[in-house]
Amino acid sequence: MARVETTSSRPYHLVIFGASGFTGQFVVEEVARTLSEGPKGSLKWAVAGRSKQKLEKVLEQAATVLSKPELRTEVDIIVADVGSPDSLAAMCKQAVIVLNCVGPYRFFGEPVVKAAVENGAHHIDISGEPQFLEGIQLNYHSQAADKGVYIIGSCGFDSIPADLGVLFTRDQFKGTLTAVESFLTLSTGSEGGCVHDGTWQSAVYGLSDQHKLQSLRRKFNHKPLPTAGPKLKRRGALFFSNEIQQYSVPFMGSDAAVVKRSQRFLTEEQKATPVQYGAYAGVGGLWNVIKLLFAGMMFFFLTKFSFGRNLLIKYPEFFSFGLFSKDGPTREQMEAASFQFAFYGEGYTEGQDPSKGKPNAKIRTLVRGPECAYVTTPIAMVQVALTILNESTAMPKTGGVYTPAAAFARTTLIDRLNKHGIHFSVV
């Protein structure tokens, strides 16, 4: 497979599409910050989006925040719009990798993937939308493989910590790891915290379209993955977790779906033992539980009707008790926030047969990092891009549509993340 390198016809290593969006602006800052660590001018990059003025403003802001006035003149601007296939094609022809920050991906994602595949650019996104991610795999995997192009979804907080966390736990376990449960806890500072409503929109439309996801999955004709060791029991919709000493719920994001796809790839392509996985999130004490139950019931009810979805989209702050807002968090809130994933794994020591008896060994690992949505996500996305540029020979031999763990199981991505503030450790 021919590797894509920068040439005069492909002048940029990285193009950030949607750079003026809420998340995109922080990806711009992270690229500028990270590239300043290397030799000057070693990587060429550009920002892209619909409005030249907004893109200029984002570069201006990044220049001020990072005290790098040169960003105003050294970073090129590409005008491209999801509604204009020609502009997307022109953008993708100029990039080795497109970092796509334009969501919700169910509405805006596919045209960018299509343009990337047809014009030979690798494509990474930060989607947490299983319907989009799996639809892209179904419709573009063989075409991307033919073109030698990598399409890698969920390269942000959804689902780098979970997907690589399971992989890390497996690699640190001495023997055969058969099952892992993860518990996510989020911390905020005295200012509190919130998430920009783009993520809220994805959740609203994702829940209302759940039946479509089931029919999409049937089209893959997947055989069930073999189970090593006892079947992992699913926990209830709300339970008190002894592991993290707080009330917990199944994690609503795409982590479980992404990890399952990774485990299928690692089982089928690398003959690994599949790891069963359960994803949970801590919600805190009793008052939080009451708020969550109330908000959850309203949310489930309203997503069933178009007028309800419109209400949810219009008033995210009201329906989420302030957790989501149209303004997103302040920089002070982001600086004080952090996340932790605790992974509890079990399996069999070397020489033990997983088909006989109960698991006889346990492992606990942690993935910790800064604020999840706008600090961790840009770090993860940028390190993914640099891994593709520098370690393509350690990735799957053919292009195609991959999850992070499938694409990067044999690379140094976890080491790169460790050096940039997302820490993987064994307890």
Side-chain angles (χ1 to χ4, degrees):
M1 174 185 108
R3 302 285 173 190
V4 188
E5 302 300 339
T6 48
T7 60
S8 53
S9 65
R10 211 169 273 272
Y12 306 111
H13 293 92
L14 311 175
V15 171
I16 304 165
F17 181 55
S20 58
F22 193 82
T23 310
Q25 62 182 326
F26 297 112
V27 176
V28 169
E29 289 175 22
E30 184 60 26
V31 168
R33 193 181 289 116
T34 306
L35 296 192
S36 67
E37 297 165 8
K40 190 163 169 51
S42 58
L43 284 184
K44 298 272 184 242
W45 62 293
V47 293
R50 279 184 308 188
S51 161
K52 186 168 188 278
Q53 287 77 13
K54 283 184 181 171
L55 293 166
E56 283 168 349
K57 211 162 144 187
V58 163
L59 290 174
E60 181 80 38
Q61 178 182 291
T64 306
V65 169
L66 301 171
S67 306
K68 291 182 186 300
E70 67 275 12
L71 290 176
R72 298 181 181 97
T73 52
E74 284 182 5
V75 180
D76 290 343
I77 288 174
I78 299 169
V79 176
D81 186 343
V82 167
S84 162
D86 290 350
S87 72
L88 294 179
M91 172 184 77
C92 291
K93 282 191 177 98
Q94 297 179 71
V96 178
I97 305 174
V98 173
L99 286 70
N100 182 7
C101 302
V102 180
Y105 291 89
R106 65 175 54 245
F107 300 131
F108 307 120
E110 188 174 354
V112 191
V113 173
K114 185 174 189 288
V117 171
E118 288 173 355
N119 295 284
H122 304 307
H123 174 285
I124 60 179
D125 67 52
I126 45 179
S127 171
E129 304 164 48
Q131 195 185 333
F132 166 75
L133 295 162
E134 293 172 39
I136 292 299
Q137 185 182 347
L138 187 71
N139 297 324
Y140 289 93
H141 180 71
S142 56
Q143 208 180 331
D146 292 344
K147 287 273 195 174
V149 161
Y150 294 116
I151 307 295
I152 305 166
S154 43
C155 293
F157 180 71
D158 289 28
S159 291
I160 290 277
D163 202 23
L164 296 189
V166 172
L167 187 72
F168 175 79
T169 307
R170 182 200 75 175
D171 291 347
Q172 298 298 317
F173 188 79
K174 293 174 175 48
T176 305
L177 185 72
T178 57
V180 172
E181 290 181 315
S182 69
F183 293 86
L184 167 65
T185 46
L186 301 176
S187 303
T188 56
S190 56
E191 303 262 316
C194 68
V195 182
H196 188 258
D197 76 325
T199 305
W200 174 257
Q201 289 179 39
S202 299
V204 170
Y205 293 116
L207 193 64
S208 65
D209 269 359
Q210 214 156 20
H211 60 287
K212 290 184 185 166
L213 179 58
Q214 301 311 324
S215 62
L216 169 70
R217 284 175 174 164
R218 283 195 284 275
K219 292 178 184 166
F220 282 97
N221 278 325
H222 284 320
K223 292 187 178 75
L225 280 175
T227 305
K231 195 162 165 48
L232 182 63
K233 287 188 177 70
R234 293 179 79 165
R235 312 250 191 155
L238 175 69
F239 61 96
F240 187 81
S241 160
N242 292 320
E243 290 84 357
I244 55 172
Q245 289 296 303
Q246 53 176 278
Y247 286 98
S248 300
V249 295
F251 180 60
M252 292 291 288
S254 58
D255 288 354
V258 171
V259 169
K260 193 168 185 182
R261 287 169 58 214
S262 294
Q263 292 305 314
R264 180 172 294 282
F265 172 84
L266 296 169
T267 302
E268 292 173 355
E269 301 295 323
Q270 297 181 7
K271 306 299 173 248
T273 302
V275 178
Q276 303 172 72
Y277 178 61
Y280 302 98
V283 294
L286 214 50
W287 173 236
N288 285 359
V289 168
I290 292 163
K291 285 199 295 189
L292 180 79
L293 288 172
F294 182 71
M297 286 190 300
M298 292 282 286
F299 190 83
F300 275 98
F301 174 72
L302 290 171
T303 53
K304 302 268 182 276
F305 312 99
S306 62
F307 85 89
R309 291 193 288 276
N310 291 339
L311 277 176
L312 289 168
I313 297 297
K314 201 169 177 186
Y315 304 108
E317 228 161 327
F318 175 78
F319 286 107
S320 69
F321 288 101
L323 189 60
F324 293 88
S325 86
K326 289 187 183 294
D327 296 329
T330 63
R331 285 186 187 260
E332 291 73 35
Q333 285 175 323
M334 284 162 50
E335 275 163 24
S338 62
F339 79 88
Q340 177 174 293
F341 267 99
F343 295 87
Y344 292 79
E346 62 176 30
Y348 298 79
T349 48
E350 283 161 3
Q352 291 285 322
D353 183 350
S355 66
K356 295 190 175 88
K358 288 184 173 168
N360 68 338
K362 295 188 171 187
I363 185 171
R364 185 172 154 223
T365 61
L366 294 176
V367 179
R368 296 188 308 261
E371 188 277 337
C372 57
Y374 312 109
V375 184
T376 287
T377 286
I379 291 170
M381 191 180 212
V382 172
Q383 293 309 314
V384 161
L386 295 178
T387 305
I388 296 171
L389 288 174
N390 292 299
E391 301 183 52
S392 61
T393 51
M395 291 171 63
K397 285 191 176 63
T398 59
V401 179
Y402 294 103
T403 58
F408 303 116
R410 292 175 171 165
T411 68
T412 66
L413 177 56
I414 288 175
D415 296 339
R416 290 172 183 272
L417 294 169
N418 269 320
K419 288 180 186 137
H420 286 85
I422 301 171
H423 299 292
F424 293 69
S425 60
V426 179
V427 181

